[in-house]
Amino acid sequence: MSMVLSASVVRVRDGLPLSASTDYEQSMGVQECRKYFKSLSKKLGQLPDRCTLKTGQYNINFISSLGVSYMMLCTENYPNVLAFSFLDELQKEFISTYNMMKTNTAVRPYCFIEFDNFIQRTKQRYNNPRSLSTKINLSDMQTEIKLRPAYQVSMCELGSTNGFTSSFSVEYRSASKISSAHQRLEPVTLPGIVAFILSLLCGALNLIRGFHAIESLLQNDGEDFSYVIAFFLGTAACLYQPHKPVGSERMRKCCYHLTT
């Protein structure tokens, strides 16, 4: 039997749940799917505004607008047009009931729990096709879904390793592909550490040498400015190092300037 099982309203910025339906379905499959709600809530800002996650016998659909996301769990055979029409009704009612300032400043989970009453009534309507056929017009939603289908979220996009999200891509099927990968920083290598330490030493030695040159210049009015220029050039050359390890030729030149 196709039906809506659960629904919730979540803030996109931080995944804070604002309201949720009171659910009586306690099967293992449904309980497992509710865990996906939390995983998706953490990634709402990285996903398109209309998405579907298929989890075997169930689907999770959600839409996002004005910093708030509306999520629902339904059986896999529940029509997409009804699912997104259901979410569209939740969105319109929530926006008309609560202003953005309230949603942005909310700090407690489920602080709009009274919205559950509307979710429950709407869920009952959408689980009774006879009552729906005379109250809503689905033609506009059908056209919109055809023109801009929901993005299909894959399970691998919900995974994380050591606190970093795995390779993550966002792709609109009705538009050109848009991809963005969350890459981890490479660990510092031993040559890089050595190059960094040597650069600091060269910079410190040039700094000391420069102070002596300035002191000598102040004591002797006729002293040439070459020492001061050499100080600034040497310090800048040693402090500015590219990301790759410093080569032996560069280190040799740096040490040569220090000894002259």
PDB file of all heavy atoms in Angstrom, residues 1 21 32 40 47 52-53 61 69 74 84 87 103 128 139-140 145 154 161 178 213 223 227 233 249:
ATOM      1  N   MET A   1       0.846  -1.194   0.000  1.00  0.00           N
ATOM      2  CA  MET A   1       0.000   0.000   0.000  1.00  0.00           C
ATOM      3  C   MET A   1       0.881   1.244   0.000  1.00  0.00           C
ATOM      4  O   MET A   1       1.811   1.368   0.787  1.00  0.00           O
ATOM      5  CB  MET A   1      -0.907   0.010   1.239  1.00  0.00           C
ATOM      6  CG  MET A   1      -1.809   1.222   1.326  1.00  0.00           C
ATOM      7  SD  MET A   1      -2.855   1.143   2.801  1.00  0.00           S
ATOM      8  CE  MET A   1      -3.739   2.691   2.635  1.00  0.00           C
ATOM      9  N   SER A  21       6.160  15.065  12.412  1.00  0.00           N
ATOM     10  CA  SER A  21       4.890  14.369  12.613  1.00  0.00           C
ATOM     11  C   SER A  21       5.023  13.348  13.740  1.00  0.00           C
ATOM     12  O   SER A  21       6.118  12.877  14.053  1.00  0.00           O
ATOM     13  CB  SER A  21       4.468  13.677  11.322  1.00  0.00           C
ATOM     14  OG  SER A  21       5.458  12.729  10.925  1.00  0.00           O
ATOM     15  N   GLU A  32      15.112   2.639  10.406  1.00  0.00           N
ATOM     16  CA  GLU A  32      16.390   2.844   9.736  1.00  0.00           C
ATOM     17  C   GLU A  32      16.342   4.087   8.843  1.00  0.00           C
ATOM     18  O   GLU A  32      17.300   4.860   8.775  1.00  0.00           O
ATOM     19  CB  GLU A  32      16.739   1.613   8.900  1.00  0.00           C
ATOM     20  CG  GLU A  32      18.120   1.657   8.255  1.00  0.00           C
ATOM     21  CD  GLU A  32      19.252   1.593   9.264  1.00  0.00           C
ATOM     22  OE1 GLU A  32      19.015   1.087  10.379  1.00  0.00           O
ATOM     23  OE2 GLU A  32      20.354   2.046   8.939  1.00  0.00           O
ATOM     24  N   LEU A  40      20.871  13.416   6.161  1.00  0.00           N
ATOM     25  CA  LEU A  40      20.512  14.389   5.127  1.00  0.00           C
ATOM     26  C   LEU A  40      20.452  15.800   5.692  1.00  0.00           C
ATOM     27  O   LEU A  40      20.815  16.767   5.012  1.00  0.00           O
ATOM     28  CB  LEU A  40      19.164  14.015   4.505  1.00  0.00           C
ATOM     29  CG  LEU A  40      19.163  12.838   3.531  1.00  0.00           C
ATOM     30  CD1 LEU A  40      17.734  12.416   3.199  1.00  0.00           C
ATOM     31  CD2 LEU A  40      19.917  13.189   2.254  1.00  0.00           C
ATOM     32  N   LEU A  47      22.978  20.348  -1.090  1.00  0.00           N
ATOM     33  CA  LEU A  47      22.121  19.631  -2.032  1.00  0.00           C
ATOM     34  C   LEU A  47      21.172  20.583  -2.738  1.00  0.00           C
ATOM     35  O   LEU A  47      20.874  21.661  -2.233  1.00  0.00           O
ATOM     36  CB  LEU A  47      21.324  18.557  -1.286  1.00  0.00           C
ATOM     37  CG  LEU A  47      22.132  17.369  -0.760  1.00  0.00           C
ATOM     38  CD1 LEU A  47      21.289  16.534   0.199  1.00  0.00           C
ATOM     39  CD2 LEU A  47      22.632  16.505  -1.905  1.00  0.00           C
ATOM     40  N   THR A  52      15.493  13.345  -3.915  1.00  0.00           N
ATOM     41  CA  THR A  52      14.912  12.068  -3.517  1.00  0.00           C
ATOM     42  C   THR A  52      16.030  11.109  -3.152  1.00  0.00           C
ATOM     43  O   THR A  52      17.032  11.031  -3.861  1.00  0.00           O
ATOM     44  CB  THR A  52      14.068  11.456  -4.648  1.00  0.00           C
ATOM     45  OG1 THR A  52      12.953  12.303  -4.920  1.00  0.00           O
ATOM     46  CG2 THR A  52      13.544  10.080  -4.266  1.00  0.00           C
ATOM     47  N   LEU A  53      15.872  10.413  -2.047  1.00  0.00           N
ATOM     48  CA  LEU A  53      16.790   9.356  -1.638  1.00  0.00           C
ATOM     49  C   LEU A  53      16.010   8.046  -1.589  1.00  0.00           C
ATOM     50  O   LEU A  53      15.041   7.920  -0.833  1.00  0.00           O
ATOM     51  CB  LEU A  53      17.392   9.654  -0.261  1.00  0.00           C
ATOM     52  CG  LEU A  53      18.234   8.537   0.362  1.00  0.00           C
ATOM     53  CD1 LEU A  53      19.486   8.284  -0.466  1.00  0.00           C
ATOM     54  CD2 LEU A  53      18.601   8.872   1.804  1.00  0.00           C
ATOM     55  N   ASN A  61      11.847  12.113   0.325  1.00  0.00           N
ATOM     56  CA  ASN A  61      11.777  13.269  -0.565  1.00  0.00           C
ATOM     57  C   ASN A  61      11.864  14.538   0.273  1.00  0.00           C
ATOM     58  O   ASN A  61      11.349  14.573   1.400  1.00  0.00           O
ATOM     59  CB  ASN A  61      10.465  13.270  -1.359  1.00  0.00           C
ATOM     60  CG  ASN A  61      10.267  11.992  -2.159  1.00  0.00           C
ATOM     61  OD1 ASN A  61      10.958  11.735  -3.132  1.00  0.00           O
ATOM     62  ND2 ASN A  61       9.307  11.179  -1.734  1.00  0.00           N
ATOM     63  N   SER A  69      13.922  23.290   5.190  1.00  0.00           N
ATOM     64  CA  SER A  69      13.712  22.110   4.354  1.00  0.00           C
ATOM     65  C   SER A  69      12.531  21.305   4.903  1.00  0.00           C
ATOM     66  O   SER A  69      12.351  21.170   6.115  1.00  0.00           O
ATOM     67  CB  SER A  69      14.962  21.231   4.324  1.00  0.00           C
ATOM     68  OG  SER A  69      14.796  20.149   3.428  1.00  0.00           O
ATOM     69  N   CYS A  74       8.054   8.054   2.529  1.00  0.00           N
ATOM     70  CA  CYS A  74       6.896   7.373   1.957  1.00  0.00           C
ATOM     71  C   CYS A  74       7.333   6.022   1.395  1.00  0.00           C
ATOM     72  O   CYS A  74       8.531   5.740   1.276  1.00  0.00           O
ATOM     73  CB  CYS A  74       6.244   8.214   0.861  1.00  0.00           C
ATOM     74  SG  CYS A  74       7.327   8.574  -0.538  1.00  0.00           S
ATOM     75  N   PHE A  84       5.683  15.395  -3.769  1.00  0.00           N
ATOM     76  CA  PHE A  84       6.157  16.777  -3.801  1.00  0.00           C
ATOM     77  C   PHE A  84       5.012  17.778  -3.667  1.00  0.00           C
ATOM     78  O   PHE A  84       5.234  18.911  -3.226  1.00  0.00           O
ATOM     79  CB  PHE A  84       6.969  17.024  -5.075  1.00  0.00           C
ATOM     80  CG  PHE A  84       8.326  16.374  -5.025  1.00  0.00           C
ATOM     81  CD1 PHE A  84       8.587  15.222  -5.736  1.00  0.00           C
ATOM     82  CD2 PHE A  84       9.337  16.908  -4.242  1.00  0.00           C
ATOM     83  CE1 PHE A  84       9.829  14.615  -5.684  1.00  0.00           C
ATOM     84  CE2 PHE A  84      10.587  16.314  -4.175  1.00  0.00           C
ATOM     85  CZ  PHE A  84      10.826  15.160  -4.895  1.00  0.00           C
ATOM     86  N   LEU A  87       4.749  18.026   0.086  1.00  0.00           N
ATOM     87  CA  LEU A  87       5.788  18.901   0.631  1.00  0.00           C
ATOM     88  C   LEU A  87       5.514  20.362   0.303  1.00  0.00           C
ATOM     89  O   LEU A  87       5.795  21.252   1.118  1.00  0.00           O
ATOM     90  CB  LEU A  87       7.153  18.477   0.078  1.00  0.00           C
ATOM     91  CG  LEU A  87       7.662  17.097   0.513  1.00  0.00           C
ATOM     92  CD1 LEU A  87       8.936  16.740  -0.233  1.00  0.00           C
ATOM     93  CD2 LEU A  87       7.898  17.059   2.013  1.00  0.00           C
ATOM     94  N   THR A 103      12.353  31.399  12.610  1.00  0.00           N
ATOM     95  CA  THR A 103      13.076  30.179  12.227  1.00  0.00           C
ATOM     96  C   THR A 103      14.588  30.363  12.338  1.00  0.00           C
ATOM     97  O   THR A 103      15.305  29.422  12.683  1.00  0.00           O
ATOM     98  CB  THR A 103      12.705  29.762  10.795  1.00  0.00           C
ATOM     99  OG1 THR A 103      13.019  30.827   9.880  1.00  0.00           O
ATOM    100  CG2 THR A 103      11.224  29.451  10.691  1.00  0.00           C
ATOM    101  N   ASN A 128      -5.324   9.330   1.546  1.00  0.00           N
ATOM    102  CA  ASN A 128      -6.680   9.003   1.092  1.00  0.00           C
ATOM    103  C   ASN A 128      -6.903   9.633  -0.281  1.00  0.00           C
ATOM    104  O   ASN A 128      -7.355  10.778  -0.374  1.00  0.00           O
ATOM    105  CB  ASN A 128      -7.714   9.522   2.092  1.00  0.00           C
ATOM    106  CG  ASN A 128      -9.118   9.087   1.737  1.00  0.00           C
ATOM    107  OD1 ASN A 128      -9.341   8.410   0.726  1.00  0.00           O
ATOM    108  ND2 ASN A 128     -10.090   9.483   2.544  1.00  0.00           N
ATOM    109  N   SER A 139      -1.717  19.070 -11.965  1.00  0.00           N
ATOM    110  CA  SER A 139      -1.153  19.275 -13.303  1.00  0.00           C
ATOM    111  C   SER A 139       0.073  20.195 -13.261  1.00  0.00           C
ATOM    112  O   SER A 139       1.073  19.935 -13.949  1.00  0.00           O
ATOM    113  CB  SER A 139      -2.212  19.857 -14.241  1.00  0.00           C
ATOM    114  OG  SER A 139      -2.696  21.097 -13.746  1.00  0.00           O
ATOM    115  N   ASP A 140       0.016  21.257 -12.443  1.00  0.00           N
ATOM    116  CA  ASP A 140       1.159  22.171 -12.355  1.00  0.00           C
ATOM    117  C   ASP A 140       2.383  21.470 -11.768  1.00  0.00           C
ATOM    118  O   ASP A 140       3.508  21.666 -12.231  1.00  0.00           O
ATOM    119  CB  ASP A 140       0.798  23.388 -11.502  1.00  0.00           C
ATOM    120  CG  ASP A 140      -0.239  24.275 -12.164  1.00  0.00           C
ATOM    121  OD1 ASP A 140      -0.406  24.166 -13.393  1.00  0.00           O
ATOM    122  OD2 ASP A 140      -0.880  25.061 -11.444  1.00  0.00           O
ATOM    123  N   ILE A 145       7.787  18.913 -12.287  1.00  0.00           N
ATOM    124  CA  ILE A 145       8.669  17.764 -12.081  1.00  0.00           C
ATOM    125  C   ILE A 145       9.261  17.290 -13.406  1.00  0.00           C
ATOM    126  O   ILE A 145      10.421  16.854 -13.466  1.00  0.00           O
ATOM    127  CB  ILE A 145       7.910  16.628 -11.371  1.00  0.00           C
ATOM    128  CG1 ILE A 145       7.591  17.031  -9.934  1.00  0.00           C
ATOM    129  CG2 ILE A 145       8.716  15.333 -11.384  1.00  0.00           C
ATOM    130  CD1 ILE A 145       6.782  16.017  -9.173  1.00  0.00           C
ATOM    131  N   SER A 154      22.487   9.651  -3.749  1.00  0.00           N
ATOM    132  CA  SER A 154      22.990   8.286  -3.586  1.00  0.00           C
ATOM    133  C   SER A 154      23.439   8.056  -2.141  1.00  0.00           C
ATOM    134  O   SER A 154      23.758   8.993  -1.413  1.00  0.00           O
ATOM    135  CB  SER A 154      24.158   8.035  -4.539  1.00  0.00           C
ATOM    136  OG  SER A 154      25.238   8.896  -4.239  1.00  0.00           O
ATOM    137  N   THR A 161      34.116  10.021   6.555  1.00  0.00           N
ATOM    138  CA  THR A 161      35.294   9.332   7.077  1.00  0.00           C
ATOM    139  C   THR A 161      36.140  10.305   7.874  1.00  0.00           C
ATOM    140  O   THR A 161      36.565  11.342   7.358  1.00  0.00           O
ATOM    141  CB  THR A 161      36.139   8.751   5.912  1.00  0.00           C
ATOM    142  OG1 THR A 161      35.288   7.910   5.120  1.00  0.00           O
ATOM    143  CG2 THR A 161      37.309   7.963   6.446  1.00  0.00           C
ATOM    144  N   ILE A 178      26.986  19.748 -12.423  1.00  0.00           N
ATOM    145  CA  ILE A 178      27.711  20.634 -11.511  1.00  0.00           C
ATOM    146  C   ILE A 178      28.327  19.752 -10.447  1.00  0.00           C
ATOM    147  O   ILE A 178      27.621  19.070  -9.725  1.00  0.00           O
ATOM    148  CB  ILE A 178      26.765  21.665 -10.865  1.00  0.00           C
ATOM    149  CG1 ILE A 178      26.047  22.451 -11.956  1.00  0.00           C
ATOM    150  CG2 ILE A 178      27.536  22.596  -9.958  1.00  0.00           C
ATOM    151  CD1 ILE A 178      24.992  23.377 -11.401  1.00  0.00           C
ATOM    152  N   ALA A 213      73.043  45.960  10.122  1.00  0.00           N
ATOM    153  CA  ALA A 213      73.308  46.887   9.016  1.00  0.00           C
ATOM    154  C   ALA A 213      72.647  48.230   9.276  1.00  0.00           C
ATOM    155  O   ALA A 213      73.231  49.290   9.008  1.00  0.00           O
ATOM    156  CB  ALA A 213      72.795  46.275   7.708  1.00  0.00           C
ATOM    157  N   GLU A 223      77.396  55.696   5.206  1.00  0.00           N
ATOM    158  CA  GLU A 223      77.362  54.262   4.869  1.00  0.00           C
ATOM    159  C   GLU A 223      76.413  54.045   3.691  1.00  0.00           C
ATOM    160  O   GLU A 223      75.376  54.676   3.560  1.00  0.00           O
ATOM    161  CB  GLU A 223      76.873  53.466   6.073  1.00  0.00           C
ATOM    162  CG  GLU A 223      76.934  51.958   5.862  1.00  0.00           C
ATOM    163  CD  GLU A 223      78.348  51.441   5.869  1.00  0.00           C
ATOM    164  OE1 GLU A 223      79.215  52.116   6.480  1.00  0.00           O
ATOM    165  OE2 GLU A 223      78.583  50.403   5.244  1.00  0.00           O
ATOM    166  N   TYR A 227      73.507  47.418   2.290  1.00  0.00           N
ATOM    167  CA  TYR A 227      73.234  46.448   3.338  1.00  0.00           C
ATOM    168  C   TYR A 227      71.733  46.371   3.638  1.00  0.00           C
ATOM    169  O   TYR A 227      71.176  45.297   3.880  1.00  0.00           O
ATOM    170  CB  TYR A 227      74.003  46.811   4.611  1.00  0.00           C
ATOM    171  CG  TYR A 227      75.484  46.546   4.523  1.00  0.00           C
ATOM    172  CD1 TYR A 227      76.384  47.592   4.377  1.00  0.00           C
ATOM    173  CD2 TYR A 227      75.963  45.238   4.592  1.00  0.00           C
ATOM    174  CE1 TYR A 227      77.736  47.355   4.281  1.00  0.00           C
ATOM    175  CE2 TYR A 227      77.318  44.994   4.499  1.00  0.00           C
ATOM    176  CZ  TYR A 227      78.204  46.051   4.349  1.00  0.00           C
ATOM    177  OH  TYR A 227      79.535  45.808   4.253  1.00  0.00           O
ATOM    178  N   LEU A 233      65.813  42.148   0.691  1.00  0.00           N
ATOM    179  CA  LEU A 233      65.731  41.156  -0.377  1.00  0.00           C
ATOM    180  C   LEU A 233      65.980  39.752   0.140  1.00  0.00           C
ATOM    181  O   LEU A 233      65.287  38.796  -0.232  1.00  0.00           O
ATOM    182  CB  LEU A 233      66.745  41.505  -1.489  1.00  0.00           C
ATOM    183  CG  LEU A 233      66.442  42.765  -2.311  1.00  0.00           C
ATOM    184  CD1 LEU A 233      67.534  42.986  -3.357  1.00  0.00           C
ATOM    185  CD2 LEU A 233      65.090  42.630  -3.004  1.00  0.00           C
ATOM    186  N   GLU A 249      69.544  23.534  -4.758  1.00  0.00           N
ATOM    187  CA  GLU A 249      70.164  24.702  -5.364  1.00  0.00           C
ATOM    188  C   GLU A 249      69.690  25.970  -4.674  1.00  0.00           C
ATOM    189  O   GLU A 249      70.487  26.883  -4.399  1.00  0.00           O
ATOM    190  CB  GLU A 249      69.792  24.741  -6.857  1.00  0.00           C
ATOM    191  CG  GLU A 249      70.400  25.925  -7.630  1.00  0.00           C
ATOM    192  CD  GLU A 249      71.910  25.845  -7.704  1.00  0.00           C
ATOM    193  OE1 GLU A 249      72.454  24.726  -7.553  1.00  0.00           O
ATOM    194  OE2 GLU A 249      72.548  26.895  -7.916  1.00  0.00           O
TER     195      GLU A 249
END
